[in-house]
């Protein structure tokens, strides 16, 4: 078969794909530009807001290293800015982007807007990996910690997320076809299993390990520092840069796996890469922040309603909005009950759970908007 005849044979399917994805490209480009501006504005707001108010000029001078501090108070502000708030803001941007993009990839992969690393158990698996390293890192897994150093925790979380995602995929897929209902039910079971195993680790943990494990359960950016960015940042950055290359394949999957195969997409290879990417991003995020739910389902769904399902635009938009929302949530969490701090996982659950119910009711036709 010649190249031209193959293209002619695939033309109706490409037209159908474009029709289903919609033609919102101008709007999508405008939204992405607006979200980039929003991310910068939210970062500056978070850097200057808190128990210690920092002026915008001091923040900008500190970020770009312009001039010496004019007074002891300005020197104090710069130290707080660079050593406390900037790592926290950058980590929030990375984790928010990772969770939102992971949710978009899973929803595209399973062709279901309810798929999310937290709901289908991937976050619980990553949490189990991290909990295993916290509790067993000084005894059974001590040689691993000695070799891997600061990377032991994110790698353990990555492996936990990867194993859970692979099990989810194997259980939910039969004969090359993925059953969404089976996948969601399997996700609930796997999350419960990972939760039970984590409970056993809590049972044998000492006081310090219990405090660390409590951090995972609630989710927080309070422990953000440059060391954690160095440990998790490269993993998340690689995923965020690489995932957009899967956009065309994820778009083709909207038509179904058979049609995507006819369009030249290597479906099984695409699935494997997507699963590893989701596991890596979720695992690295859980390793440094604990369990932060609902970002992966709320952000992609909101953007899909606005700019359509085209993953060429949906994935970068998710990264920008996810990062902005998590930075904003973290700013609220550390200011709303100051000088105490509300775990960020509580805020995302309070906002995300009603939204999840709204999606369910909307899909059932019980509400129309």
């Amino acid at each position: 078969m010649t190249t031209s005849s193959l293209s002619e044979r695939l033309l109706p399917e490409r037209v159908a794909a474009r029709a289903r994805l919609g033609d919102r490209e101008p709007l999508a480009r405008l939204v992405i530009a607006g979200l980039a501006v929003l991310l910068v504005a939210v970062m500056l707001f978070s850097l200057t807001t808190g128990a210690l108010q920092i002026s915008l000029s001091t923040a900008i001078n500190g970020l770009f290293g312009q001039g010496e501090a004019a007074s002891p108070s300005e020197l104090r502000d710069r130290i707080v800015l660079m050593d406390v708030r900037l790592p926290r803001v950058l980590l929030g941007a990375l984790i928010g982007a990772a969770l939102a993009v992971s949710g978009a990839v899973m929803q595209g992969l399973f062709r279901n807007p309810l798929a999310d690393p937290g709901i289908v158990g991937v976050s619980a698996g990553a949490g189990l990996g991290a909990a295993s390293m916290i509790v067993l890192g000084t005894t059974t897994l001590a040689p691993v910690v000695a070799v891997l150093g600061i990377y032991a925790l994110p790698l353990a979380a990555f492996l936990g997320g990867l194993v859970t995602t692979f099990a989810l995929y194997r259980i939910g897929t039969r004969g090359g076809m993925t059953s969404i209902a089976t996948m969601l039910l399997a996700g609930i079971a796997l999350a419960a299993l990972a939760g039970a195993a984590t409970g056993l680790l809590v049972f044998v943990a000492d006081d310090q390990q219990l405090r660390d494990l409590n951090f995972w359960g609630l989710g927080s950016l309070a422990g953000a520092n440059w060391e954690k960015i160095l440990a998790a940042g490269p993993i998340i950055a690689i995923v965020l840069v690489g995932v957009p290359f899967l956009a065309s394949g994820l778009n083709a999957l909207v038509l179904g796996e058979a049609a995507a195969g006819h369009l030249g997409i290597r479906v099984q290879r695409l699935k494997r890469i997507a699963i590893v990417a989701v596991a890596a991003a979720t695992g690295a995020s859980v390793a440094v922040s604990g369990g932060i739910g609902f970002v992966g389902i709320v952000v992609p769904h909101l953007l899909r309603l606005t700019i359509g399902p085209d993953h060429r635009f949906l994935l970068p938009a998710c990264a920008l909005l996810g990062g902005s929302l998590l930075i904003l949530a973290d700013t609220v969490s550390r200011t709303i009950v100051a000088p105490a701090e509300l775990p960020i996982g509580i805020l995302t659950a309070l906002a995300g759970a009603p939204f999840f119910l709204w999606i369910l009711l909307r899909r059932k036709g019980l509400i129309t908007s």
Side-chain angles (χ1 to χ4, degrees), residues 18-29:
R18 187 176 183 80
R20 291 196 61 174
L21 292 173
D23 188 13
R24 306 185 192 179
E25 184 171 334
L27 175 62
R29 293 185 185 278

Side-chain angles (χ1 to χ4, degrees), residues 228-267:
K228 288 188 175 180
I229 291 180
L230 182 63
I235 298 174
I236 296 175
I238 290 173
V239 172
L240 294 178
V241 171
V243 158
F245 291 100
L246 305 178
S248 298
L250 292 173
N251 284 345
L253 278 180
V254 173
L255 300 172
E257 294 183 12
H262 291 156
L263 290 171
I265 302 298
R266 298 169 65 183
V267 176

Side-chain angles (χ1 to χ4, degrees), residues 298-353:
V298 172
V299 173
H301 201 79
L302 280 176
L303 288 169
R304 197 177 288 106
L305 290 173
T306 306
I307 64 175
D310 191 336
H311 289 84
R312 294 176 302 161
F313 307 108
L314 183 62
L315 293 175
C318 282
L320 293 169
L321 184 58
S324 299
L325 284 183
L326 201 60
I327 292 172
L328 193 59
D330 180 58
T331 306
V332 173
S333 74
R334 62 183 171 80
T335 56
I336 193 171
V337 292
E341 184 170 317
L342 190 67
I344 195 172
I346 295 177
L347 286 178
T348 57
L350 284 174

Side-chain angles (χ1 to χ4, degrees), residues 122-138 141 145 151-162 164 194 197-198 201-202 205 209 212-217 282-291:
V122 178
S123 295
L128 174 59
S132 301
M133 190 57 68
I134 290 173
V135 177
L136 305 177
T138 56
L141 299 178
V145 176
Y151 296 100
L153 196 56
L155 283 176
F158 163 67
L159 289 176
L162 180 64
T164 307
T198 303
L201 292 170
V202 170
Q209 291 166 345
D212 292 338
L213 288 170
N214 188 49
F215 162 79
W216 302 108
T282 304
S285 299
V286 171
V288 294
S289 69

Side-chain angles (χ1 to χ4, degrees), residues 86-291:
L86 184 58
R88 191 162 179 157
V89 166
L90 292 178
L91 199 62
L94 285 169
I95 293 172
L99 295 176
V101 167
S102 296
V105 170
M106 291 204 72
Q107 290 163 21
L109 191 64
F110 292 108
R111 303 191 296 283
N112 191 299
L114 301 181
D116 167 78
I119 293 173
V120 298
V122 178
S123 295
L128 174 59
S132 301
M133 190 57 68
I134 290 173
V135 177
L136 305 177
T138 56
T139 54
T140 307
L141 299 178
V144 179
V145 176
V147 172
L148 298 177
I150 62 173
Y151 296 100
L153 196 56
L155 283 176
F158 163 67
L159 289 176
L162 180 64
V163 170
T164 307
T165 309
F166 181 75
L168 185 70
Y169 171 71
R170 294 294 297 173
I171 294 172
T173 303
R174 179 76 63 184
M177 302 300 292
T178 300
S179 169
I180 301 303
T182 303
M183 183 270 294
L184 290 175
L185 292 174
I188 293 172
L190 290 172
L193 188 61
T198 303
L200 287 175
L201 292 170
V202 170
F203 182 75
V204 301
D206 59 28
D207 290 344
Q208 179 58 47
Q209 291 166 345
L210 281 176
R211 282 193 288 272
D212 292 338
L213 288 170
N214 188 49
F215 162 79
W216 302 108
L218 296 175
S220 174
L221 297 179
N225 53 41
W226 292 109
E227 188 178 58
K228 288 188 175 180
I229 291 180
L230 182 63
I235 298 174
I236 296 175
I238 290 173
V239 172
L240 294 178
V241 171
V243 158
F245 291 100
L246 305 178
S248 298
L250 292 173
N251 284 345
L253 278 180
V254 173
L255 300 172
E257 294 183 12
H262 291 156
L263 290 171
I265 302 298
R266 298 169 65 183
V267 176
Q268 295 305 319
R269 179 172 175 268
L270 171 68
K271 286 181 177 179
R272 286 194 292 270
I273 295 175
I275 286 172
V276 171
V278 168
T282 304
S285 299
V286 171
V288 294
S289 69

